[in-house]
Amino acid sequence: MRRFSPEYLDRTRRGMWTESRAALDPLDLPSRSRVLDVGCGTGELTQVLADEAADADVVGVDADTDLLAVARDRTDLSYCAADAMRLPFPDDAFDLVVCQALLINLPDPAAAVAEFARVSSDLVAAVEPNNADVAVSSTAAAESALEQRVRSAYIGGVGTNVALGDRVRQFFADAGLSDLRTRRYVHEKRVEPPYSEADLKGAARKASGAGLADHETELREALGPDAYDELRREWRSMGRNVVEQMQSDEYERVEVVPFDVTVGRV
């Protein structure tokens, strides 16, 4: 399984569930008594679940102890270190088991779903992005096309299926889950004046190439070293253009990431 830094999770999940939590309605959170968030990372979704399931015991698990340290610092919820495919809980220990952006990073997502079904007495839910359908618009002329090139190369080189799409429903069916339902949630990330500190840092990361370097291994695997180096030069040039536009409050960017919320009953 791939590892992520707290800073990366902050950038990619910033603002998620702020506008609406309607896509979580099928989880029937107010009725829950014990909820497990698998692959909880730094605890963003874990806190949302606790807010919506106010009377429930909510537990987050993740294999990365560094991320769990951040989650414990940010929230007062319960966390433990665990492998998503070998959960340290008895059968039927929770009435809801949920994950967010986890299955796309696992080498065997079907095995993980089967494990979720084992420890749930009622519902299993997965909130998974379809990275093949991400759309970016930007006032920086080269940014949209470069983002598409990077995304395509990343999907080809990453080694797991980061564009699962409707395959999640098949994983659920194979695990014996029934009453399958899917609801689309669209996460919109917008950058516009006045710029936040995070926006300014993001632009600086583009100009330095640091943002691209987050995925250097996967991109080099897909493109080869020479093509990656050329892409990095183009990326940094685009980043400098973004910084220039920010200096005159002209830069705007919108990224739309579709997530499918799939729910099944044990």
Side-chain angles (χ1 to χ4, degrees):
M1 179 178 171
R2 291 179 293 132
R3 297 172 69 90
F4 301 99
S5 68
E7 293 76 19
Y8 177 82
L9 294 182
D10 285 344
R11 289 195 303 274
T12 57
R13 300 185 183 183
R14 186 188 314 142
M16 192 162 180
W17 307 117
T18 299
E19 296 297 323
S20 173
R21 296 177 179 177
L24 299 177
D25 287 350
L27 280 59
D28 194 17
L29 288 168
S31 74
R32 298 294 149 198
S33 61
R34 191 158 169 79
V35 177
L36 179 66
D37 178 14
V38 185
C40 65
T42 51
E44 291 86 355
L45 180 64
T46 322
Q47 185 62 66
V48 169
L49 298 171
D51 292 343
E52 299 297 319
D55 296 326
D57 292 327
V58 179
V59 179
V61 301
D62 201 285
D64 191 323
T65 55
D66 292 336
L67 297 182
L68 290 178
V70 176
R72 291 188 177 102
D73 183 60
R74 291 180 177 178
T75 77
D76 59 359
L77 302 173
S78 298
Y79 298 95
C80 71
D83 186 327
M85 289 181 280
R86 289 184 294 274
L87 295 171
F89 306 107
D91 296 355
D92 306 329
F94 301 88
D95 57 4
L96 170 64
V97 177
V98 60
C99 69
Q100 175 175 292
L102 173 69
L103 301 181
I104 61 169
N105 296 311
L106 295 179
D108 191 355
V113 172
E115 182 69 347
F116 301 169
R118 180 188 68 79
V119 301
S120 176
S121 64
D122 188 20
L123 291 186
V124 173
V127 183
E128 295 293 329
N130 189 332
N131 287 299
D133 290 341
V134 174
V136 174
S137 60
S138 170
T139 56
E143 185 166 16
S144 296
L146 281 172
E147 288 266 11
Q148 182 58 49
R149 283 171 57 189
V150 169
R151 189 174 305 107
S152 296
Y154 176 73
I155 289 172
V158 70
T160 63
N161 188 349
V162 295
L164 285 173
D166 60 5
R167 290 195 63 195
V168 175
R169 289 180 67 94
Q170 188 59 54
F171 296 148
F172 275 41
D174 291 345
L177 299 172
S178 61
D179 188 22
L180 302 183
R181 291 162 286 165
T182 301
R183 181 174 292 192
R184 174 61 58 96
Y185 171 76
V186 177
H187 179 34
E188 181 177 285
K189 294 184 280 187
R190 183 177 292 272
V191 179
E192 58 189 359
Y195 306 116
S196 68
E197 185 66 25
D199 294 338
L200 297 173
K201 287 181 179 179
R205 285 174 55 80
K206 285 185 173 74
S208 70
L212 201 66
D214 284 340
H215 305 300
E216 180 175 353
T217 300
E218 294 87 357
L219 295 174
R220 284 188 180 276
E221 175 69 24
L223 298 172
D226 292 341
Y228 173 80
D229 290 341
E230 176 59 30
L231 176 64
R232 186 172 184 271
R233 284 191 289 270
E234 294 181 53
W235 186 269
R236 294 181 65 190
S237 176
M238 175 270 292
R240 291 191 291 271
N241 181 223
V242 168
V243 171
E244 291 170 359
Q245 289 192 18
M246 278 188 159
Q247 290 170 345
S248 56
D249 285 346
E250 297 175 350
Y251 178 68
E252 294 186 9
R253 178 185 188 274
V254 179
E255 179 178 0
V256 177
V257 185
F259 284 78
D260 288 326
V261 182
T262 304
V263 179
R265 192 172 302 278
V266 175

